Amino acid sequence: MDFGQILIVIFAVVVAFYVKGVTGIGGPLLAVPILAIFTGVEFAVAVIAIPTFLSNTWLLMSSRQAARDVVWFLVPMLVAGIAGAALGSWVLVNTEDRVLSLVLALLILIYIVLNAANREFALGRKTARILAAPVGLIGGWLQGATGIAAPAFATYLHALGLPRGQFILAITLPFRTNGLVQ
């Protein structure tokens, strides 16, 4: 990488993690694709894992009081997410970078389309409980393989209509847990 590319990458990472600090999501979702253009997906995922871990630690500390309100769905989501992250990490190491780049591009495209559609939907508690483990498995796999799990976790958590503190805790803990596995 030349100096100009390094500056672009640093700028992208700073902006991405500023967005994450404000909203609870966005760091890897913005930074990994930009960094992957210059370095490849595997390197981008590894590099972004460090600031993701640090920012998630800070967010968890600031929202920990909401834990008892989200434990009913968070535990099955985390357990399944650990398995998914382990499998996804194996995929990251054993899959050609070109294939991972395509998966990453499709993932971001799907997330943009879903958000642009702006369809509000809500999950009831019973349905949310049933979907917690599958969402955790898919989100864990996505994070392990691409470093980006927001399409699975954010979509599910938005459908729960959680208050800000609960949402931040509920989205940050899977990112951090799966990041440790990764």
Side-chain angles (χ1 to χ4, degrees):
M1 280 197 300
D2 66 29
F3 185 70
Q5 290 173 323
I6 292 171
L7 287 178
I8 291 169
V9 168
I10 290 170
F11 179 75
V13 170
V14 168
V15 169
F17 282 91
Y18 173 77
V19 170
K20 181 175 179 60
V22 171
T23 66
I25 61 173
L29 186 63
L30 297 172
V32 168
I34 294 168
L35 188 56
I37 291 169
F38 300 104
T39 65
V41 177
E42 189 173 336
F43 183 79
V45 169
V47 168
I48 295 305
I50 296 165
T52 300
F53 178 82
L54 295 174
S55 65
N56 285 343
T57 299
W58 175 74
L59 286 169
L60 283 173
M61 296 308 294
S62 67
S63 62
R64 66 184 177 272
Q65 70 280 1
R68 73 174 164 271
D69 299 322
V70 295
V71 72
W72 63 272
F73 69 85
L74 205 50
V75 170
M77 191 166 75
L78 289 173
V79 171
I82 289 169
L87 179 61
S89 297
W90 181 86
V91 168
L92 175 65
V93 172
N94 292 293
T95 303
E96 189 177 322
D97 201 54
R98 209 173 79 206
V99 173
L100 289 173
S101 293
L102 179 62
V103 169
L104 187 60
L106 288 172
L107 184 61
I108 291 169
L109 181 64
I110 289 167
Y111 190 64
I112 290 169
V113 168
L114 286 174
N115 281 306
N118 199 20
R119 298 201 174 186
E120 294 293 325
F121 67 97
L123 291 175
R125 192 173 175 116
K126 183 178 178 182
T127 304
R129 189 182 307 260
I130 292 168
L131 292 176
V135 166
L137 184 65
I138 293 166
W141 184 88
L142 289 172
Q143 188 165 352
T146 68
I148 297 175
F153 292 134
T155 303
Y156 172 81
L157 294 171
H158 281 293
L160 295 180
L162 300 171
R164 179 173 160 66
Q166 291 177 22
F167 178 82
I168 289 174
L169 177 79
I171 200 153
T172 304
L173 192 54
F175 290 159
R176 185 162 189 260
T177 303
N178 295 340
L180 285 171
V181 171
Q182 185 184 41

